[in-house]
Amino acid sequence: MTVISSDAAIITVCGELDADTGLALQHQLAGQVVHGRRHLVLDLADVPFMDSSGLRVIVRTVNDMRNVDGSVSLAAPTPVVRRVLDLTGMGMSCQIFDTADAACEALLGRTSAVSDRPAHATADR
């Protein structure tokens, strides 16, 4: 994990994301919310395989982050993982970037824009 701002972090996921590993990732992601992170980038560059259990963890995290007015971005999915994301329409629920750097740049631009708004303005999402 890399903290990129007080309320944002990059989580690097490594290995297969399935029923055996999904629960551990889910706990780590939930812990980020407890620590005040509202915006997460999941770096999937080192995930060679993801099944429905792994997808469920991502969907749950997206929903949890929406509950705290946050966001989840997915970065650098491998071709196999990208296919699962495309087939399930995950791109409609969260942004998918080709690289973690691109996801961070977009996130930092978005969070600074939100913090620069007057207190009475609301974020368009």
Side-chain angles (χ1 to χ4, degrees):
M1 178 196 66
T2 304
V3 176
I4 57 175
S5 72
S6 62
D7 68 345
I10 302 170
I11 307 297
T12 302
V13 184
C14 299
E16 294 184 353
L17 186 49
D18 55 21
D20 292 334
T21 59
L23 187 59
L25 178 61
Q26 185 174 326
H27 287 295
Q28 182 179 7
L29 297 173
Q32 294 305 309
V33 176
V34 170
H35 286 86
R37 312 286 187 259
R38 295 181 331 157
H39 305 283
L40 299 177
V41 173
L42 301 183
D43 184 349
L44 304 173
D46 293 324
V47 178
F49 172 81
M50 179 174 71
D51 67 7
S52 62
S53 298
L55 182 63
R56 184 172 43 249
V57 170
I58 293 173
V59 169
R60 182 174 183 172
T61 302
V62 168
N63 291 333
D64 289 348
M65 297 311 280
R66 282 185 182 154
N67 289 336
V68 295
D69 197 27
S71 66
V72 175
S73 299
L74 306 178
T78 58
V80 170
V81 172
R82 180 65 190 231
R83 180 157 168 75
V84 171
L85 297 172
D86 289 344
L87 287 172
T88 59
M90 278 303 298
M92 296 176 73
S93 298
C94 59
Q95 290 186 298
I96 303 172
F97 296 88
D98 290 336
T99 66
D101 287 342
C104 288
E105 287 175 20
L107 177 62
L108 291 174
R110 178 175 48 209
T111 57
S112 66
V114 170
S115 65
D116 291 342
R117 291 182 180 167
H120 65 278
T122 57
D124 296 328
R125 293 187 194 235

